[in-house]
Amino acid sequence: MIVGMLTAMPTAALPPSPEATPAARDRGDACPGALRLHEADDGALARVRLPGGVLTRDQARALGDAARRLGDGDLHLTSRGNVQLRGLAAGCGAELAEALGAAGLLPSPEHERVRNIVASPLSGLDGGGLRDVRPWLTALDAALCASEAARGLSGRFLFALDDGRGDVAGLGADVTVRATGDGGAWLTPGSVRVAAADAPSAALLAAETFLRAARSHGTRAWRVSELDLGAIELAGLVRDRLTAEGIGYENCAEPVGATAGPSPGVIGDALSVHVPLGRLAPAQWEALTVAADRELRLTPWRGVVVPAAGATAARIAGSPARLRTAGPVTDPASPWPRVGACVGRPGCARAHADVRADAARTLEVTGRPALPLYWSGCERRCGRPRGDHVDVLATPDGGYRLSAVTAGRSVRTASAASPSQTGAALAAITS
């Protein structure tokens, strides 16, 4: 296996993120979706929710076709395992909606922006989890789309279904369900253990309880962290709702243990590839689609898991060779999984720099970073990770401010007057 570089890539206490911390909301939720497009500097943007990141081969081909016909051709992966289509032509909304609907990607138009569900991408493929969460995923998505109340969730509200390994449980979801060693499921908010069969229903009830609490307190909260209500009080409300709906529970401490997202390479009955900076050109997307037996699983770490259940070991091992010319990384030693960035210029009007190009150029010089790097074009820091990392923030004067972040706090900082100086600044705060 070798490191594959994306051929379409350019060759070249912190301020809180508005996506994850308490904020005063004086307007409605404008989070983009597949039916509510956002006007960006590079054209309209559509965000297509893919619960669990799961796409059938036909759906993947439909998305690729829509990107080529209506947008810039590329598929942009998000930190929630969703896909964004960018550079969309004006007035293409109806045609896009028709294409997505025909592919089964809009099971409920009224809920399309709230189908934010991340799930352990290797679940059922490598023997690393306590249970396969795919049945939970299917059941939760169906229940979510059938819930009238759930239409009130914001486009930023997030569910996480963890198979027990602790990968997506650490992503700061609003509602998390994690498989437990005794065959049950740990639920938060609520911090209770429920029967595995009740996990999807309990997750939805927790979300609906959040909505009720927000309304009763007269707040316009989009995330649980924004709710002007203590965690203990919200947990009590969730437990009361479970009792009212006949779902039994037991008090339970949060399970311990965590793993990172899948590294590139062959893992069990799957091939894991990383997509540098989350951007796939048409040929790259097509190569992944062709490599898939039946589906793709997009990960919250801007990667793709290609299940190959039932295939021979030779078939799995051969997949990286077929993908090599397309660019996604299949080498676990690659530095790319430790580097992320927002879209930056020219796509975002708020950005002060072309952070993707600067990230690529810096990586060529510095090699594998000691800490994960995340490059942001502005103070919003869209897509910023939660764990320890180096925050690389573009400044209006054309430079960058770098901060080493540990346990959510900035512990060391440095400045670079120009993009070419970021390598030296990075060395200064990580040495």
Side-chain angles (χ1 to χ4, degrees):
M1 299 179 193
I2 64 171
V3 177
M5 304 294 286
L6 282 179
T7 56
M9 290 301 303
T11 55
L14 288 171
S17 165
E19 295 189 357
T21 53
R25 304 297 187 186
D26 57 2
R27 60 178 176 81
D29 176 19
C31 198
L35 302 179
R36 178 189 291 179
L37 307 187
H38 169 72
E39 288 299 327
D41 269 21
D42 57 351
L45 175 156
R47 184 175 298 158
V48 184
R49 267 67 173 188
L50 306 173
V54 178
L55 279 167
T56 67
R57 286 184 66 175
D58 287 344
Q59 289 173 335
R61 287 188 168 126
L63 273 178
D65 178 67
R68 287 190 298 270
R69 289 189 299 105
L70 306 175
D72 64 8
D74 295 342
L75 284 298
H76 303 259
L77 311 189
T78 79
S79 60
R80 293 182 166 192
N82 295 320
V83 164
Q84 290 188 160
L85 307 183
R86 300 189 66 97
L88 295 170
C92 75
E95 186 176 355
L96 175 62
E98 182 179 0
L100 296 178
L105 293 169
L106 293 176
S108 174
E110 296 82 5
H111 295 82
E112 63 94 7
R113 293 190 313 127
V114 306
R115 298 172 69 224
N116 289 310
I117 308 173
V118 294
S120 299
L122 288 173
S123 191
L125 298 175
D126 69 338
L130 298 175
R131 70 180 305 115
D132 187 347
V133 298
R134 286 296 295 275
W136 283 354
L137 176 62
T138 301
L140 176 57
D141 188 33
L144 189 63
C145 290
S147 168
E148 182 70 21
R151 295 172 58 182
L153 294 172
S154 83
R156 304 187 185 195
F157 195 92
L158 180 64
F159 295 87
L161 303 178
D162 194 297
D163 68 0
R165 73 185 70 209
D167 54 354
V168 298
L171 296 181
D174 298 281
V175 173
T176 298
V177 175
R178 179 171 175 172
T180 58
D182 59 4
W186 178 77
L187 169 73
T188 187
S191 297
V192 294
R193 177 199 176 279
V194 298
D198 291 330
S201 298
L204 179 60
L205 289 175
E208 293 177 348
T209 301
F210 157 78
L211 288 172
R212 288 184 179 184
R215 285 195 299 269
S216 66
H217 284 72
T219 61
R220 182 178 285 172
W222 294 346
R223 306 291 307 275
V224 165
S225 60
E226 299 172 2
L227 192 60
D228 187 18
L229 188 68
I232 294 178
E233 185 177 352
L234 180 59
L237 294 175
V238 170
R239 294 173 183 180
D240 290 344
R241 184 73 190 279
L242 294 175
T243 298
E245 298 296 331
I247 294 179
Y249 66 84
E250 300 173 355
N251 294 339
C252 179
E254 180 177 0
V256 298
T259 60
S263 62
V266 174
I267 306 175
D269 286 337
L271 170 68
S272 171
V273 300
H274 178 75
V275 179
L277 305 182
R279 185 174 182 176
L280 283 163
Q284 299 160 2
W285 183 258
E286 177 63 20
L288 287 170
T289 303
V290 170
D293 265 350
R294 59 189 185 279
E295 70 179 25
L296 300 175
R297 299 184 186 183
L298 310 187
T299 80
W301 303 276
R302 294 183 171 88
V304 183
V305 168
V306 185
T312 65
R315 156 69 173 77
I316 302 171
S319 294
R322 289 198 293 275
L323 292 172
R324 188 174 301 155
T325 56
V329 171
T330 59
D331 185 350
S334 168
W336 271 111
R338 297 174 70 81
V339 180
C342 70
V343 69
R345 287 183 178 173
C348 177
R350 294 176 179 267
H352 302 303
D354 185 347
V355 291
R356 285 177 166 179
D358 290 342
R361 282 192 288 263
T362 299
L363 189 63
E364 289 177 359
V365 175
T366 62
R368 185 178 176 86
L371 280 174
L373 309 182
Y374 194 79
W375 296 65
S376 299
C378 74
E379 292 278 355
R380 289 169 63 89
R381 295 180 171 86
C382 294
R384 174 165 57 94
R386 291 174 56 85
D388 294 352
H389 66 285
V390 174
D391 181 72
V392 187
L393 177 67
T395 54
D397 59 5
Y400 282 93
R401 184 171 71 249
L402 289 77
S403 304
V405 181
T406 301
R409 298 182 61 187
S410 175
V411 294
R412 292 182 301 279
T413 61
S415 296
S418 67
S420 63
Q421 297 178 359
T422 54
L426 177 63
I429 64 173
T430 59
S431 60

